[in-house]
Each structure stands twice: as C-alpha cells, then as structure tokens.
Amino acid sequence: MTNVTMTVNGKAVSGDVEGRTLLSSFLREGLGLTGTHVGCDTSQCGACVVHVDGKPVKSCTVFALDVAGAAVKTIEGMANADGSLGVIQQAFQDHHGLQCGFCTPGMVMSAAALLADNPKPTESEVRHYLEGNICRCTGYHNIVKAVLAASGQDVAAVAAE
Amino acid sequence: MPKDGGIGASTVRREDIRFLTGKGRYTADINLRGQAYACFLRSEVAHGRINRIDTAEARAMPGVLAVMTGADFAAMGGNPAGWHIPSRNGEAMKEPKRPVLAHGKVRHVGDAYAVVVAETLEQARDAAGAVVADITELPAVVDMAQAVANPDLRVHDEIANNVCFDWGWIEDNRAAVDAAFKTAPHVTTLELVNNRLVPNAMEPRASIGDYDPGTGDYKLYTTSQNPHLSRLLISAFVMGIPENKLTVIAPDVGGGFGSKIYHYGEEAAVLAASRALNRPVKWVADRSESFLSDAHGRDHVTRIELATDLEGNFLALRTETLANVGAYLSNFATATPTFLHGTLMAGPYRTPLVYVNVKAVFTNTAPVDAYRGAGRPEATFSIERVVDKMCRELKLDPVAVRRKNLIQPDQYPYTTPVGLVYDTGNYPATLDKLIEIADFSGFEARRAESARRGKLRGLGLSTWIEACGIAPSNLVGVLGARVGLYDAATVRVNATGNISVMTGAHSHGQGHETVFAQIVSDKLGIPASSIDIVHGDTSKIPFGMGSYGSRSLAVGGSAMVKAVDKIIAKGKKIAAHMLEAAEGDIVFEDGKFSVTGTDKSKTFGEIAFSAYVPHNYPLESLEPGLEETAFYDPANFTYPAGAYACEVEVDAETGRVEVVGFACADDFGNVMNPMIVNGQVHGGVAQGIGQALLEAAAYDDNGQLLTGSYMDYAMPRADDLPMFTVDHSCNTPCTHNPLGVKGCGEAGAIGSPPAVVNAVIDALHRGGHTHVTHIDMPLTPSRVWSAIQN
C-alpha cells in the first residue's frame, strides 16, 4: 500500500492504495464518491469519465498513483456553489438527456470537456465527441440536444421532437 | 391543456437531480458494514464434465473466507421456467434443472461453477485464480439446425435432439392454412435470421446478500426489474427461505431492457454465502461477465411464407422458427418465442389464416430470454420483411399494399386468427401521419441529391402492432403462465396531507417517480411535490410484478388509479359526515370535497387530518386512517401500434449504411408525459437500429463468445444515429384500463429493424442491384458489400 494525495473537487484528499488501484476505485471505494460509474472493463463505455487537471480521462484506465498531486473533478463537483444544477446538468434535465442515469455522470463530464474546447459545437461535432460515451437508454437524441442547449444554441430547430 | 404538472404535461423528471449530481444509489454504490466480496469462477469451455474442483490452495490464500462450488448447492432447487409450453403433440416441455452453480457439467462459456468470498475484492480475485477446476471438454452444440439434427450432441443428457418443445399456434388452423397456400395465386418465401443480441444495460448486474443472524432475516440488494418476482423464485423454488424472512431491494437500477427481469444464480449464491459467514457478501459483475452470463435476446431462425393474390391481398401466412433458448431455461425463455411472438403474427393486418410453428432449442450458449420487445420484434421483422419482398415480386407499392391490408378503424374489437382481440386502434391514421412527418413526397429530391454525392438512398417502411400491458392472469394461466400478472399499489395519505404511493412497478430509467406523481396529483388535485413514489423494496411495497413488457403504466398505473379512487370514495364518506350531507351529494374536484349546489366544502388536507384525528368522524361505520391498496388485473392486453419509416444512404463502394432519417408515428393511447414517451421511443429505435446495422452476439463453433466486450460487440454510439422525428398524435385510448394507456417502452425496438432493412434493400434496388432480395442483420458493410457483389 502506498499513500496517495490529490485534490478532488477542490478538496485535498489522501488514501492508501495498491499499485493496481484504479482512479475509479479510489474515488468510489476510497472516497465514497460513487457518482463515477464503472460500466465496462475495456475503457469503452465512458461512464467513468472525470477531469484530471481539466482534461477528460476514463478513470477506469488510470492508476490512482499516476494522478498523485493532480486536480480531479467528478460529477459531484459539477453543481453550482449553492447546490443548484450547473448549466450542463440543468440542460440534461430540461431536455430529458438521461433515463436510467448510469451513463449520465460520464456524459456530463465529457460534455463539459467538449464545451470547454469548443463552446459552440455543431450537432455532428457533439456526436463525434461523445463516441466514447455509450448510452443504452436515450438513443442520444436528447443528450445531443442537451449539450447543444447547454452551449447556448437554440435547439428548437434541431429536431421535431 | 393538461393541469400544471398533471396528466399530459411534459414535467421534467425529479429523479434527474440525484442522477445528475452523482447521488444515485445503484447496487454497486451500496457498501454494508463488514461486507465481504464475491468473485465467481466461470466455465471457459462451452460444454464440459466437471471431474474435480480443487479449492485447497484458494482457501489458504490471504483474506479468503469461503469457497463454494456447485456441490454446495446441489440439494437446493433449480431456477424455474415461468411458463409451461406444451408441444403440439401434447408432450410436456423439457425443463432441465438450472442450478445455482453448475454441478456435474458446465453447459456454456460463462456458466458459473464456484464462488470465492474474501475480505477484499482483490483477494477474492487473486484466490479465484488459485482454484483448480478439472473439467473435461465435451463437444459443444452451438448451431440450432445441428442441435435438432444430430442425436449425438446433447446439451442435457436426458433431452434427445435438444428440443424443449415443438409448439404449433393454432394447431387446429394448420390444415386450413396449408390448403390456402395450395391454391394461392402467389407465395412469397423468406428465410431469415433474427440476430442474437446482448441487452447491455449500462449498469452491470450486482447483488449483495445480507443475512442477519439475530433475526434470521435475509436481505438482498440486487439489480432487478421486479424484486417481488426474485423474492418469490428464491423463496418458493430455489432456497426455501420463507418469503416473510427475505427482503429484496432493487434500488436505482441502471437500465434493464429485460435482462434484469430474471432471477440469476449469483443472487442465491451471495445470500447463501452471507448465511454461511454471518456477514454481508457483495458481488458486482464486470462487463465481461455480463456478456457471458446475462440472458441474451432474439436468436431466431425463421422461414416465413406469405400467400397473396396478384393484387397483394394477404390470404394466408405461415412460419417455422427455431428459437434458441441457450443452455438453460431462463424465467421467461419459453413464453418469449411463443405467446409473445406467435400471437403477434397477424400484425396490424386482416390476414385471415395464420399458422406458427416454433421449436425451442437448447444449445451450449448463454440462456436467451426477453429483450426489449421480446418476441414481438421477431414477429414484426418476419412479417414486414416478407410483405416488402412480396411487393417487389409483384411490383406493387409497399405503402398501398399495407394500407389495403390494414385492419380498418370500424372493425374493432378485432379477433385475429392467432388468438388476440385488438380492442382499438387506427392503423391507417398512423400510416398517413407517417407519410406526412417523414416527408415521403420530398424523397425523390433527396434521393437525387444523394445520387449526386454517389450515394444510394432508400426509404423503408414498417407498420407494426404489439401486445403489451402484460397480462390478464386467467388468460395467461390457460396458456401456461405459472404466475399471475396483475400489479398493485398502495396510496398512503399521511395525517398532514402529503402522500406516499407504494407501487409494484419498478423504475430503471422510465421516470415513474415523476409520471406516477403527475397522475396522482391530477386525480387528487394536490401538488405533485407533495407526492412521493416508493418502489423497489419488498418490505415497503405491495406484491407487484415489476416492470417489463411495457406494463408499468397500463397495469401498475391502473392499480394506482384504483387505489386513488378508493381514497376519494372514503374521503367522500368522511366529508359527508363533517359537512352533514348525504354521501351522494358530495362531489370531489380539484382537491376539494363539496356538497353539490352549496358553498360548503372541505379540502383534501382537512379530510386527511380528520381521518387520523377522528374527533368528528363516523367511527361507528368507518375505520380511521386514509390508506388504500388496490390490485389490478387487466381485462386484455393493450395494443400499441404505429408506422415507422427509415431513410438510409448506402455507399455501394464500401457497403456502409448510414441512417439519415427516422420517423415514428405511434399510437400509445393517452400519453401521460410526452417528453418521457418521446425519450422511450428514441431509445427503442436506437436499439432497433443497433440490431439492424451493428449488433450481434456471435459464438464460434466451439461455443466461444467472439463478441465478449465493447471492443467486439458494436453498441450504437452517438455518431451512428440521426435525430428522430416522433409523433403520437394519432392516439386511440385503450378501452379497458382507467387511464386509456397502452404502453410505449418497447415500440421503438419492435417497429424499427424491418424499416431499416427495408430501406437498405430499397436503396440497393433503386441503385440497380435488384438481385438482392434479403440481407441478414446486422447489415454490416461487409454483408451489404458482399450482397451487392453477389
């Protein structure tokens, strides 16, 4: 076991981990931040996406020790300071961009990374960017709509429904 | 206009708040004090004899608490099949025991034969690697045709030819159907495969067993669509734990699509391990385990024939299907290819004569059971493909042919030749609506534009119907069901006027917490924010059958409305006493009990308070309290229906298909929350497009799953799909449930696959590749390219 320290959602945290402990496990089991989900074992589904030093990463593919000292942001850190939903979260609710909710944390984190890089993406850019996040419930229609809405674009014309 | 937040409003979902902030509570998120971790050992061969399992080394590993094998569960019962389907010669179906852990033989890759429990997950995994299983590999049977033809290959030693049953529907009609084919002017024949799929709910299965040695009570947290069914199966069939000593909790569940209806052996194993160790035992599947051990879907091989006259009027239809049930019977495996498939073979059409034959076949593959749509997508695909093929053979317009064969709006109730009575519908209206919203008239211009870019554009259609709202218990009992299929709800009005609704339905993405509150709010005239929906915990909710088969609202919602009606009826008695009026003079409207023709009234809150503080109350004739339970057993199935159109572009050079447009005109009866209904359709269509173009669970000849991860199994991703056009304005309310609802959960997955395939064939024909009459799903680039090349 080795002690690891990092910043998670603005707070300094530390814990003892094995060399093989994944960042997703450290967040979920070590810190109790169970909003980060694990939906596969091949880094394909994207339910575990978090931000490390501002960049989206699949936390099931990163060892906790490899991000020692980094600033990590998870879905638990995405709401506004007063606890209300952030812009992207609110757009997901307004546009029914989630159903079972399991892929949602990763979707929100990926969407946030996209909008940080590309504040006004096209529909096609949103779809391409979210390739690494699998959703089985929504057919992506309302996720794409929510991300476009979160970027401040008018989504009324995007699709009939 | 819907009332604010009431029936018909697109209210945003209350459950979203916890899901969007990381506060959802899925089974894997739950950690109990003192819990140990389980890791299952699974067969690496498709068929094998277990000679010996040496656990000594594993038991000596650090942190290991127990190693259990199939032998430890041999005395327990098996996980049963929920429906008995007799063969057409009257023989009982073959029901081999499905043990908690494999014992004696393993029968598919992924078949669990041992479980290691340790202090930590890592220790459990490490120790699992030290278990030595001496298993002699036996010949595997994977292909269904081979399974029924080769008497030397047996999945279960006692079952010759691997046939579970050979079912005919309706056997008495067979001679008449055959006679019609002999004299028919035209017969179209199609052999097709309905590809095997892995449901792939994004949350892998997980279970925590928690035995309390102090009380003898068991608790099971599990990823279930219907916790009461799991409790019943574990109690009555598998473990013998008294029902009143077992609580099953399905907390937030990350999608199901059928795969979490069933009881699985891992649930019994963690309960037994917890009992043995006197501490909680947790298991969370990884995705690889899900691929190997979740119940798969579809997997039919069908020959369908359609007899018509030369104008395309349907005269008769018959099918022969081999349906794969895998190595063991999952709980609904026998109902899915029969009563959820054969009974739908009339579709929305007036086909006068229909006969369906289904042989269910054991193979050395994972069990196959209901997956979104369950039997109805298979029926719809067969019908809609053969109809399209007939139109090409006779050079008829597929829209006109469908239109003239549809059941007409004045023909309800309509009794089909396969045993269903459709209560209501308007299929020509949804077809007309589809032609409008999919802009059929603009297709030619779009096709020409695609052609300028070197792409072949095609337009495909399906008109479909399903039976859901499962199901009238007395009817399904006659047909072989071993459970009732009602549902239940309890409406508890608290003394301060707010309400807890306990429902037997289960929400794993459908938004019940929002929609059910909308309905109760609408009926009782109190704000939805004062209403809580409780589900998923057998210690809190009445005995219900959970959510599958698009039944939550039609059955569970109806039970809830019945319970609300009882609350109102009792409220009127209380109000009559308080207002010194006759009960018959009390009217209830907008949350107020009033004496008709006067200004005397009591609010709902005043009545609730009086029920719990009964100082001025008719105690001599009425019990205090305001809580009512209702069970609802539907009088009939519900029959959602619709018309779907898919537009594709095919790159003839590569065979790549792109879906460029998809439109749905649905009739779901009354719609409670349009936003949620649209979302259900989007998701279903995405799964249908996935089946048509991308997804296939493929086994090799030795029974190894070739598509065991997201690296190999093509899940639909955001850039595989277009925006969808969805309409449900052509609704005909269901005639036999109080909300007039039909259900919308499966529609998209049922209606879409044939529309996609029909569109691709249409594109190829328009591009001059008229030799292509069919391509089996999934229509991968290589399959489409090969078909073009002939």
Side-chain angles (χ1 to χ4, degrees), chain B residues 495-540:
Chain B
T496 51
N498 55 35
I499 294 175
S500 303
V501 178
M502 279 64 74
T503 172
H506 187 274
S507 186
H508 31 278
Q510 297 91 336
H512 295 170
E513 292 169 34
T514 299
V515 181
F516 285 15
Q518 284 179 250
I519 295 167
V520 174
S521 166
D522 194 285
K523 298 282 177 194
L524 291 179
I526 65 169
S529 56
S530 299
I531 300 162
D532 247 28
I533 306 298
V534 179
H535 62 97
D537 182 337
T538 61
S539 69
K540 294 179 180 170

CSV table of all heavy atoms in Angstrom, one decimal, chain B residues 495-540:
chain,number,residue,atom,x,y,z
B,495,ALA,N,-51.2,12.1,7.8
B,495,ALA,CA,-52.1,13.0,8.5
B,495,ALA,C,-52.0,14.4,8.1
B,495,ALA,O,-53.0,15.2,8.1
B,495,ALA,CB,-51.8,12.8,10.0
B,496,THR,N,-50.8,14.8,7.7
B,496,THR,CA,-50.6,16.2,7.3
B,496,THR,C,-50.9,16.4,5.8
B,496,THR,O,-50.7,17.5,5.2
B,496,THR,CB,-49.2,16.6,7.5
B,496,THR,OG1,-48.3,15.7,7.0
B,496,THR,CG2,-48.9,16.7,9.0
B,497,GLY,N,-51.5,15.4,5.1
B,497,GLY,CA,-52.0,15.6,3.8
B,497,GLY,C,-51.0,15.3,2.7
B,497,GLY,O,-51.5,15.3,1.5
B,498,ASN,N,-49.8,15.0,3.0
B,498,ASN,CA,-48.9,14.6,1.9
B,498,ASN,C,-49.1,13.0,1.7
B,498,ASN,O,-49.7,12.4,2.5
B,498,ASN,CB,-47.5,15.0,2.1
B,498,ASN,CG,-46.9,14.5,3.4
B,498,ASN,OD1,-47.2,13.5,3.8
B,498,ASN,ND2,-46.1,15.4,4.0
B,499,ILE,N,-48.5,12.6,0.6
B,499,ILE,CA,-48.9,11.2,0.1
B,499,ILE,C,-47.6,10.4,-0.2
B,499,ILE,O,-46.7,10.9,-0.9
B,499,ILE,CB,-49.8,11.3,-1.1
B,499,ILE,CG1,-51.1,11.9,-0.7
B,499,ILE,CG2,-50.0,9.9,-1.7
B,499,ILE,CD1,-52.1,12.2,-1.8
B,500,SER,N,-47.7,9.1,0.2
B,500,SER,CA,-46.7,8.2,-0.2
B,500,SER,C,-47.4,7.1,-1.1
B,500,SER,O,-48.4,6.6,-0.6
B,500,SER,CB,-46.0,7.5,0.9
B,500,SER,OG,-45.4,8.4,1.8
B,501,VAL,N,-46.9,6.9,-2.3
B,501,VAL,CA,-47.5,5.9,-3.2
B,501,VAL,C,-46.5,4.7,-3.3
B,501,VAL,O,-45.4,5.0,-3.7
B,501,VAL,CB,-47.8,6.4,-4.6
B,501,VAL,CG1,-48.4,5.3,-5.5
B,501,VAL,CG2,-48.8,7.6,-4.5
B,502,MET,N,-46.9,3.6,-2.9
B,502,MET,CA,-46.1,2.4,-3.0
B,502,MET,C,-46.5,1.6,-4.2
B,502,MET,O,-47.7,1.1,-4.2
B,502,MET,CB,-46.1,1.5,-1.7
B,502,MET,CG,-45.3,2.0,-0.6
B,502,MET,SD,-45.7,3.6,0.1
B,502,MET,CE,-47.2,3.2,1.0
B,503,THR,N,-45.6,1.5,-5.2
B,503,THR,CA,-46.1,0.8,-6.4
B,503,THR,C,-45.3,-0.5,-6.6
B,503,THR,O,-44.1,-0.6,-6.3
B,503,THR,CB,-45.9,1.7,-7.6
B,503,THR,OG1,-46.1,1.0,-8.8
B,503,THR,CG2,-44.4,2.3,-7.7
B,504,GLY,N,-46.0,-1.5,-7.2
B,504,GLY,CA,-45.3,-2.7,-7.5
B,504,GLY,C,-44.5,-2.7,-8.8
B,504,GLY,O,-43.7,-3.6,-9.1
B,505,ALA,N,-44.7,-1.6,-9.5
B,505,ALA,CA,-43.9,-1.4,-10.7
B,505,ALA,C,-42.5,-0.9,-10.3
B,505,ALA,O,-42.3,-0.4,-9.2
B,505,ALA,CB,-44.5,-0.4,-11.6
B,506,HIS,N,-41.5,-1.1,-11.2
B,506,HIS,CA,-40.2,-0.7,-10.9
B,506,HIS,C,-39.6,0.2,-12.0
B,506,HIS,O,-39.7,-0.1,-13.1
B,506,HIS,CB,-39.2,-1.9,-10.7
B,506,HIS,CG,-37.9,-1.6,-10.2
B,506,HIS,ND1,-36.9,-1.2,-11.1
B,506,HIS,CD2,-37.4,-1.5,-9.0
B,506,HIS,CE1,-35.8,-0.9,-10.3
B,506,HIS,NE2,-36.1,-1.0,-9.1
B,507,SER,N,-39.0,1.3,-11.5
B,507,SER,CA,-38.4,2.2,-12.5
B,507,SER,C,-36.9,2.0,-12.6
B,507,SER,O,-36.2,2.1,-11.6
B,507,SER,CB,-38.7,3.7,-12.0
B,507,SER,OG,-38.3,4.6,-13.0
B,508,HIS,N,-36.4,1.8,-13.8
B,508,HIS,CA,-35.0,1.7,-14.0
B,508,HIS,C,-34.6,2.5,-15.2
B,508,HIS,O,-33.9,2.1,-16.1
B,508,HIS,CB,-34.5,0.2,-14.1
B,508,HIS,CG,-35.6,-0.7,-14.8
B,508,HIS,ND1,-36.6,-1.2,-14.0
B,508,HIS,CD2,-35.8,-1.1,-16.0
B,508,HIS,CE1,-37.4,-1.9,-14.8
B,508,HIS,NE2,-36.9,-1.8,-16.0
B,509,GLY,N,-35.2,3.7,-15.3
B,509,GLY,CA,-35.0,4.7,-16.3
B,509,GLY,C,-36.3,5.3,-16.9
B,509,GLY,O,-36.2,6.3,-17.6
B,510,GLN,N,-37.4,4.7,-16.5
B,510,GLN,CA,-38.7,5.1,-17.2
B,510,GLN,C,-39.2,6.4,-16.6
B,510,GLN,O,-40.2,6.9,-17.1
B,510,GLN,CB,-39.7,4.0,-17.0
B,510,GLN,CG,-39.3,2.7,-17.7
B,510,GLN,CD,-38.5,1.7,-16.9
B,510,GLN,OE1,-37.9,2.1,-15.9
B,510,GLN,NE2,-38.6,0.4,-17.2
B,511,GLY,N,-38.8,6.8,-15.4
B,511,GLY,CA,-39.3,8.0,-14.8
B,511,GLY,C,-40.6,7.9,-14.0
B,511,GLY,O,-41.3,8.9,-13.9
B,512,HIS,N,-40.8,6.7,-13.4
B,512,HIS,CA,-42.1,6.6,-12.7
B,512,HIS,C,-42.2,7.6,-11.6
B,512,HIS,O,-43.3,8.0,-11.2
B,512,HIS,CB,-42.1,5.2,-12.1
B,512,HIS,CG,-42.1,4.1,-13.1
B,512,HIS,ND1,-42.0,2.7,-12.7
B,512,HIS,CD2,-42.3,4.1,-14.4
B,512,HIS,CE1,-42.1,2.0,-13.8
B,512,HIS,NE2,-42.3,2.8,-14.9
B,513,GLU,N,-41.1,7.9,-10.9
B,513,GLU,CA,-41.2,8.8,-9.8
B,513,GLU,C,-41.9,10.1,-10.2
B,513,GLU,O,-42.6,10.8,-9.4
B,513,GLU,CB,-39.9,9.1,-9.1
B,513,GLU,CG,-39.3,7.8,-8.5
B,513,GLU,CD,-37.8,7.9,-8.1
B,513,GLU,OE1,-37.4,9.0,-7.7
B,513,GLU,OE2,-37.1,6.9,-8.2
B,514,THR,N,-41.6,10.5,-11.4
B,514,THR,CA,-42.2,11.8,-11.9
B,514,THR,C,-43.6,11.5,-12.5
B,514,THR,O,-44.6,12.2,-12.1
B,514,THR,CB,-41.3,12.3,-13.0
B,514,THR,OG1,-40.0,12.6,-12.5
B,514,THR,CG2,-41.9,13.6,-13.6
B,515,VAL,N,-43.8,10.5,-13.3
B,515,VAL,CA,-45.1,10.4,-14.0
B,515,VAL,C,-46.1,9.9,-13.1
B,515,VAL,O,-47.3,10.4,-13.1
B,515,VAL,CB,-44.9,9.4,-15.2
B,515,VAL,CG1,-46.2,9.2,-15.9
B,515,VAL,CG2,-43.8,9.9,-16.2
B,516,PHE,N,-45.8,8.9,-12.2
B,516,PHE,CA,-46.8,8.4,-11.3
B,516,PHE,C,-47.3,9.6,-10.4
B,516,PHE,O,-48.5,9.7,-10.0
B,516,PHE,CB,-46.3,7.2,-10.5
B,516,PHE,CG,-46.2,5.9,-11.3
B,516,PHE,CD1,-46.3,5.9,-12.7
B,516,PHE,CD2,-46.1,4.7,-10.6
B,516,PHE,CE1,-46.3,4.8,-13.4
B,516,PHE,CE2,-46.0,3.5,-11.4
B,516,PHE,CZ,-46.1,3.5,-12.7
B,517,ALA,N,-46.4,10.4,-10.0
B,517,ALA,CA,-46.8,11.6,-9.1
B,517,ALA,C,-47.7,12.5,-9.9
B,517,ALA,O,-48.6,13.1,-9.4
B,517,ALA,CB,-45.5,12.3,-8.6
B,518,GLN,N,-47.4,12.7,-11.2
B,518,GLN,CA,-48.3,13.5,-12.1
B,518,GLN,C,-49.7,13.0,-12.0
B,518,GLN,O,-50.7,13.8,-12.0
B,518,GLN,CB,-47.8,13.5,-13.5
B,518,GLN,CG,-46.6,14.4,-13.8
B,518,GLN,CD,-46.2,14.2,-15.3
B,518,GLN,OE1,-45.1,13.6,-15.6
B,518,GLN,NE2,-46.9,14.8,-16.2
B,519,ILE,N,-49.8,11.7,-12.2
B,519,ILE,CA,-51.1,11.1,-12.2
B,519,ILE,C,-51.9,11.3,-10.9
B,519,ILE,O,-53.1,11.7,-10.9
B,519,ILE,CB,-51.0,9.6,-12.6
B,519,ILE,CG1,-50.5,9.5,-14.1
B,519,ILE,CG2,-52.4,8.9,-12.5
B,519,ILE,CD1,-50.0,8.1,-14.4
B,520,VAL,N,-51.2,11.0,-9.8
B,520,VAL,CA,-51.9,11.1,-8.5
B,520,VAL,C,-52.2,12.6,-8.2
B,520,VAL,O,-53.3,12.9,-7.7
B,520,VAL,CB,-51.0,10.5,-7.4
B,520,VAL,CG1,-51.7,10.7,-6.0
B,520,VAL,CG2,-50.8,9.0,-7.6
B,521,SER,N,-51.3,13.4,-8.6
B,521,SER,CA,-51.6,14.9,-8.4
B,521,SER,C,-52.8,15.3,-9.2
B,521,SER,O,-53.7,16.0,-8.7
B,521,SER,CB,-50.4,15.7,-8.9
B,521,SER,OG,-50.7,17.0,-9.1
B,522,ASP,N,-52.9,14.8,-10.4
B,522,ASP,CA,-54.0,15.2,-11.3
B,522,ASP,C,-55.3,14.7,-10.7
B,522,ASP,O,-56.3,15.4,-10.7
B,522,ASP,CB,-53.8,14.6,-12.7
B,522,ASP,CG,-54.7,15.1,-13.7
B,522,ASP,OD1,-55.9,14.7,-13.7
B,522,ASP,OD2,-54.3,15.9,-14.6
B,523,LYS,N,-55.3,13.4,-10.2
B,523,LYS,CA,-56.5,12.8,-9.7
B,523,LYS,C,-57.0,13.4,-8.4
B,523,LYS,O,-58.2,13.5,-8.1
B,523,LYS,CB,-56.3,11.3,-9.5
B,523,LYS,CG,-56.0,10.6,-10.8
B,523,LYS,CD,-57.3,10.3,-11.6
B,523,LYS,CE,-57.0,9.6,-12.9
B,523,LYS,NZ,-58.1,9.7,-13.9
B,524,LEU,N,-56.0,13.8,-7.5
B,524,LEU,CA,-56.3,14.3,-6.2
B,524,LEU,C,-56.3,15.8,-6.1
B,524,LEU,O,-56.7,16.3,-5.0
B,524,LEU,CB,-55.4,13.6,-5.1
B,524,LEU,CG,-55.6,12.1,-4.9
B,524,LEU,CD1,-54.7,11.6,-3.9
B,524,LEU,CD2,-57.1,11.8,-4.5
B,525,GLY,N,-55.8,16.4,-7.1
B,525,GLY,CA,-55.8,17.9,-7.0
B,525,GLY,C,-54.8,18.5,-6.0
B,525,GLY,O,-55.0,19.5,-5.5
B,526,ILE,N,-53.8,17.7,-5.7
B,526,ILE,CA,-52.8,18.3,-4.8
B,526,ILE,C,-51.4,18.3,-5.5
B,526,ILE,O,-51.2,17.5,-6.5
B,526,ILE,CB,-52.7,17.5,-3.4
B,526,ILE,CG1,-52.2,16.0,-3.7
B,526,ILE,CG2,-54.0,17.4,-2.7
B,526,ILE,CD1,-51.8,15.3,-2.4
B,527,PRO,N,-50.5,19.2,-5.1
B,527,PRO,CA,-49.3,19.3,-5.9
B,527,PRO,C,-48.5,18.1,-5.9
B,527,PRO,O,-48.4,17.3,-5.0
B,527,PRO,CB,-48.5,20.4,-5.1
B,527,PRO,CG,-49.5,21.0,-4.2
B,527,PRO,CD,-50.6,20.0,-3.9
B,528,ALA,N,-47.9,17.8,-7.1
B,528,ALA,CA,-47.0,16.6,-7.3
B,528,ALA,C,-45.9,16.7,-6.3
B,528,ALA,O,-45.4,15.6,-5.8
B,528,ALA,CB,-46.5,16.6,-8.7
B,529,SER,N,-45.5,17.9,-5.9
B,529,SER,CA,-44.3,18.0,-4.9
B,529,SER,C,-44.7,17.4,-3.5
B,529,SER,O,-43.9,17.1,-2.7
B,529,SER,CB,-43.9,19.4,-4.7
B,529,SER,OG,-45.0,20.2,-4.3
B,530,SER,N,-46.0,17.2,-3.3
B,530,SER,CA,-46.4,16.6,-2.0
B,530,SER,C,-46.6,15.0,-2.1
B,530,SER,O,-47.2,14.4,-1.2
B,530,SER,CB,-47.8,17.2,-1.6
B,530,SER,OG,-47.6,18.5,-1.4
B,531,ILE,N,-46.2,14.5,-3.3
B,531,ILE,CA,-46.4,13.1,-3.5
B,531,ILE,C,-45.1,12.4,-3.8
B,531,ILE,O,-44.3,12.8,-4.6
B,531,ILE,CB,-47.4,12.9,-4.7
B,531,ILE,CG1,-48.7,13.6,-4.5
B,531,ILE,CG2,-47.5,11.4,-5.0
B,531,ILE,CD1,-49.5,13.8,-5.8
B,532,ASP,N,-44.9,11.3,-3.0
B,532,ASP,CA,-43.6,10.5,-3.2
B,532,ASP,C,-44.0,9.2,-3.8
B,532,ASP,O,-45.0,8.6,-3.3
B,532,ASP,CB,-43.0,10.3,-1.8
B,532,ASP,CG,-41.6,11.1,-1.8
B,532,ASP,OD1,-41.5,12.1,-2.4
B,532,ASP,OD2,-40.8,10.6,-1.0
B,533,ILE,N,-43.2,8.7,-4.7
B,533,ILE,CA,-43.4,7.4,-5.3
B,533,ILE,C,-42.3,6.5,-4.7
B,533,ILE,O,-41.1,6.7,-4.9
B,533,ILE,CB,-43.3,7.4,-6.8
B,533,ILE,CG1,-44.3,8.5,-7.4
B,533,ILE,CG2,-43.6,6.1,-7.4
B,533,ILE,CD1,-45.8,8.3,-7.1
B,534,VAL,N,-42.8,5.4,-4.1
B,534,VAL,CA,-41.8,4.4,-3.5
B,534,VAL,C,-41.9,3.1,-4.3
B,534,VAL,O,-43.0,2.6,-4.6
B,534,VAL,CB,-42.3,4.1,-2.0
B,534,VAL,CG1,-41.3,3.1,-1.4
B,534,VAL,CG2,-42.3,5.5,-1.2
B,535,HIS,N,-40.7,2.6,-4.7
B,535,HIS,CA,-40.7,1.4,-5.4
B,535,HIS,C,-39.5,0.6,-5.1
B,535,HIS,O,-38.5,1.1,-4.6
B,535,HIS,CB,-40.8,1.7,-6.9
B,535,HIS,CG,-39.7,2.5,-7.5
B,535,HIS,ND1,-38.6,1.9,-8.1
B,535,HIS,CD2,-39.4,3.8,-7.5
B,535,HIS,CE1,-37.7,2.8,-8.5
B,535,HIS,NE2,-38.2,4.0,-8.1
B,536,GLY,N,-39.5,-0.7,-5.5
B,536,GLY,CA,-38.2,-1.4,-5.5
B,536,GLY,C,-37.8,-2.1,-4.2
B,536,GLY,O,-36.7,-2.6,-4.1
B,537,ASP,N,-38.7,-2.1,-3.2
B,537,ASP,CA,-38.3,-2.6,-1.9
B,537,ASP,C,-39.5,-3.5,-1.4
B,537,ASP,O,-40.5,-2.9,-1.0
B,537,ASP,CB,-38.0,-1.5,-0.9
B,537,ASP,CG,-37.5,-2.0,0.5
B,537,ASP,OD1,-37.9,-3.2,0.8
B,537,ASP,OD2,-36.9,-1.3,1.2
B,538,THR,N,-39.3,-4.8,-1.3
B,538,THR,CA,-40.4,-5.7,-1.0
B,538,THR,C,-40.9,-5.5,0.4
B,538,THR,O,-42.0,-5.9,0.8
B,538,THR,CB,-40.1,-7.2,-1.2
B,538,THR,OG1,-39.0,-7.5,-0.3
B,538,THR,CG2,-39.7,-7.5,-2.6
B,539,SER,N,-40.1,-4.8,1.3
B,539,SER,CA,-40.6,-4.6,2.7
B,539,SER,C,-41.5,-3.3,2.7
B,539,SER,O,-42.1,-3.1,3.7
B,539,SER,CB,-39.4,-4.4,3.6
B,539,SER,OG,-38.7,-3.2,3.4
B,540,LYS,N,-41.5,-2.6,1.6
B,540,LYS,CA,-42.3,-1.4,1.6
B,540,LYS,C,-43.5,-1.4,0.7
B,540,LYS,O,-44.5,-0.8,1.0
B,540,LYS,CB,-41.4,-0.2,1.2
B,540,LYS,CG,-40.3,0.2,2.2
B,540,LYS,CD,-39.5,1.3,1.7
B,540,LYS,CE,-38.4,1.7,2.6
B,540,LYS,NZ,-37.4,2.6,2.0
